Amino acid sequence: MIYYIKSPNKLKTSVLLPSSKSISNRVLILNALCSHPMKINNISACDDTEVVIKALGESSKNIDIGAAGTAMRFLTAYLSGQKGSYTITGTERMKNRPIKILVDALRSVGAQIEYVEKEGFPPLHIQGQTLKGGEVSLDGSTSSQYISALLMIAPVMTNGLRLHLTGNIISKPYINITIRLMRQFGVIVFEEEQTLTIPPQQYSPVKNFTVESDWSAASYWYEMIALSKDNDATVSLFGLLPDSLQGDASIVELFDKLGVKTTFTVSGAILTKKQRSVDYPFIFDFVSMPDMAQTGVVTCIMLNIPFRFSGLQSLKIKETDRLNALKTELHKFGYQLEIHNENTLEWSGERCEPETSPVIATYEDHRMAMAFAPISLCMENGINIADPEVVSKSYPMYWSDLRKAGFAITGM
C-alpha cells in the first residue's frame, strides 16, 4: 500500500502519545525475573512490545520475534537463563542483523547457544539453564542493547556479573534507563568508570509501575512544529515527563535550536514555534540518541540547514541501514548527502535533480515512515509513502493522530 499525505494549512492538535517501548520492554523482562511478578500499567501496545509479552506468556518453545531487534537481544539473554529448549527467529532482515557479540558474551558466562543457519546471526537455538556469571568484556561501541540484555539477567547469575565496557560507549542513556529500572526493582548496581558490577541478588516486583509516554514518538510532532508554515502552530503532547528516564527527551534541546519551544504542564508538554538559533553548518553528535537521527536529518534538510551529524555508527544495524536509506530517499527530493566513516552524515547544501513524483520507501523501518511524513508540510502537492503500516512497530496510532491533526491521508 502507498499513502498519499497532504498537510493542513493550520496545525493545532493534542496527542495521547504511546507509552515508551524502551521502558516497556525492559520492565517486562525485569518483572518476569521477579519471583512474584506484578501488573505493569500503561504497557506499550506496539508490535515490538507485543512480541515480548507473547514470548514471556506462551508455552511455545519456538519464538518468532518478527522485526523486533530489541526483543531479539533481550529475549536471547533472558531465555539463556531459563531452563528449557528454545528456538528464536525473525524476519529475513532480522536474520541479517548481527548478534555474535551478545552470544559470545553469554557463552562466556555459561549459556548454551547455537546458530541455526548463519554463524553470527539469528535464528538461534538456546538450551536455557542457570548461568554461572563472572567477568565479561564487551565492546560498547556496537549496540547498547547488548549491554542492557546482559545487565538485566546479571542479578540471577550464580556469581553475578562484572561487565567491562571497552571503546566509545554509544547510546549511554539507554544503558542508564536499564540501570535505573533495575534499581527500582530492588537490585544493586555498582558503577565505576566503564565497569558495571552486579552481585547475585533477587529482583523485587514494583507495585503499580506505570510506563511513561514515549519521547521518540514525540519527536515527529517536534518535527511537524519545526516544518509548519503556521506561525501559531501548537501541539499538546500528553504524558511526557521533564525528568524522564528516556535519553530521547534530549530532543527538547535539539529542537529548541531548530525553532520549537517546549512548555511543560501537569499533563505533558505544549509545543509552539520560536526563533531558530542554529549555527550553519549545524554540527551535532547523536551518539546518545541515534534513534532521533532520522528526525533531525529530515528536519534540517527541509529547513535548508546544512549539517554534519556524527555518532551514527549504530544506524547500520537497525531495522535497515538507516544511513544509506536516508541518503537514497532524500536524493529523490533533490538533496545530495554524504556518508563518512560509516558514522557521520553530512549535507553541505548540494542539490541534484529531484524526481517528479517520488515515493518514499520505508525499508520495513517504522522511523523512516514517521520521520518522512512531516515532509508533506513543505510539499504543496503532498507526498507518497510506501508500506505505511510499518509504524505499528512502535506507534500504531500514528496515522490516526495525523488525521486528527488535519492531515489528509489516502490509501492507494
Side-chain angles (χ1 to χ4, degrees):
M1 178 183 286
I2 295 175
Y3 271 178
Y4 169 70
I5 304 169
K6 190 77 167 61
S7 68
N9 293 324
K10 298 288 185 179
L11 181 60
K12 185 176 179 64
T13 191
S14 58
V15 183
L16 180 60
L17 291 167
S19 53
S20 168
K21 174 171 70 83
S22 296
I23 294 176
S24 293
N25 291 350
R26 286 163 171 78
V27 169
L28 285 168
I29 297 293
L30 299 179
N31 198 45
L33 289 168
C34 295
S35 56
H36 300 287
M38 293 275 193
K39 179 184 177 183
I40 305 297
N41 301 313
N42 197 37
I43 205 77
S44 174
C46 70
D47 289 351
D48 278 18
T49 300
E50 289 294 330
V51 163
V52 177
I53 293 171
K54 184 179 179 183
L56 294 174
E58 66 179 18
S59 57
S60 173
K61 304 300 183 182
N62 297 309
I63 300 168
D64 188 343
I65 54 83
T70 305
M72 174 60 76
R73 280 87 178 248
F74 289 1
L75 288 170
T76 294
Y78 173 79
L79 294 173
S80 295
Q82 302 299 305
K83 291 184 179 180
S85 181
Y86 311 92
T87 299
I88 183 168
T89 188
T91 61
E92 284 305 310
R93 169 61 183 169
M94 184 57 61
K95 292 180 180 180
N96 287 285
R97 295 180 69 176
I99 199 167
K100 186 177 187 300
I101 292 175
L102 177 59
V103 169
D104 287 350
L106 288 167
R107 284 174 171 173
S108 74
V109 294
Q112 294 187 26
I113 306 173
E114 301 297 332
Y115 298 110
V116 176
E117 296 177 7
K118 186 167 56 174
E119 184 77 13
F121 300 86
L124 306 173
H125 177 73
I126 301 170
Q127 188 64 45
Q129 59 186 7
T130 301
L131 303 179
K132 67 178 188 296
E135 295 207 22
V136 174
S137 291
L138 195 69
D139 182 358
S141 66
T142 305
S143 173
S144 65
Q145 291 178 7
Y146 297 157
I147 299 167
S148 290
L150 285 166
L151 289 176
M152 287 190 288
I153 63 169
V156 298
M157 295 179 186
T158 303
N159 300 314
L161 181 69
R162 187 169 173 81
L163 181 60
H164 305 284
L165 302 178
T166 63
N168 181 34
I169 303 171
I170 64 171
S171 305
K172 283 185 181 179
Y174 289 101
I175 301 171
N176 292 336
I177 289 177
T178 303
I179 293 172
R180 290 175 66 180
L181 288 172
M182 289 171 66
R183 286 171 173 158
Q184 287 188 42
F185 276 76
V187 306
I188 298 170
V189 180
F190 296 102
E191 300 179 72
E192 181 184 357
E193 294 185 357
Q194 295 202 170
T195 296
L196 300 166
T197 303
I198 304 95
Q201 55 200 295
Q202 292 184 338
Y203 280 109
S204 301
V206 178
K207 188 176 182 180
N208 295 323
F209 188 99
T210 300
V211 180
E212 63 181 82
S213 291
D214 188 27
W215 272 101
S216 61
S219 73
Y220 310 111
W221 295 98
Y222 274 84
E223 180 183 355
M224 287 178 235
I225 289 287
L227 298 183
S228 176
K229 294 178 175 61
D230 175 13
N231 289 328
D232 296 318
T234 304
V235 174
S236 298
L237 301 175
F238 297 125
L240 292 180
L241 303 179
D243 56 348
S244 172
L245 290 171
Q246 303 168 65
D248 288 346
S250 295
I251 61 168
V252 172
E253 289 76 28
L254 172 64
F255 273 91
D256 184 76
K257 297 179 182 294
L258 295 173
V260 181
K261 178 182 178 181
T262 305
T263 304
F264 285 102
T265 68
V266 293
S267 58
I270 299 174
L271 314 184
T272 52
K273 293 184 77 70
K274 65 180 287 290
Q275 188 71 29
R276 291 198 295 271
S277 58
V278 62
D279 294 328
Y280 289 61
F282 183 22
I283 297 174
F284 192 84
D285 187 348
F286 278 90
V287 71
S288 294
M289 52 173 185
D291 282 344
M292 298 297 93
Q294 286 143 298
T295 313
V297 166
V298 174
T299 301
C300 286
I301 285 285
M302 291 296 113
L303 293 177
N304 204 37
I305 299 173
F307 61 82
R308 185 179 177 89
F309 292 158
S310 59
L312 306 178
Q313 52 267 40
S314 66
L315 267 62
K316 300 282 290 185
I317 60 169
K318 295 287 187 176
E319 284 79 350
T320 186
D321 178 346
R322 287 176 174 171
L323 290 176
N324 277 300
L326 282 166
K327 181 178 179 179
T328 299
E329 297 312 305
L330 287 167
H331 188 273
K332 295 176 180 178
F333 291 90
Y335 300 93
Q336 189 66 49
L337 279 68
E338 297 296 331
I339 299 170
H340 304 292
N341 302 319
E342 296 191 340
N343 69 355
T344 300
L345 196 61
E346 181 178 22
W347 182 57
S348 63
E350 185 177 355
R351 301 295 300 269
C352 57
E353 186 67 27
E355 295 181 9
T356 304
S357 299
V359 177
I360 299 163
T362 50
Y363 305 84
E364 298 184 355
D365 186 344
H366 54 136
R367 301 203 188 282
M368 287 297 290
M370 292 187 286
F372 274 81
I375 286 181
S376 61
L377 289 157
C378 305
M379 301 292 172
E380 185 177 348
N381 295 322
I383 61 166
N384 298 296
I385 294 183
D387 304 312
E389 65 278 0
V390 294
V391 302
S392 64
K393 181 176 173 63
S394 64
Y395 191 168
M397 299 301 292
Y398 183 68
W399 302 120
S400 296
D401 286 344
L402 259 63
R403 288 188 174 101
K404 178 185 172 186
F407 287 78
I409 302 175
T410 307
M412 298 188 292

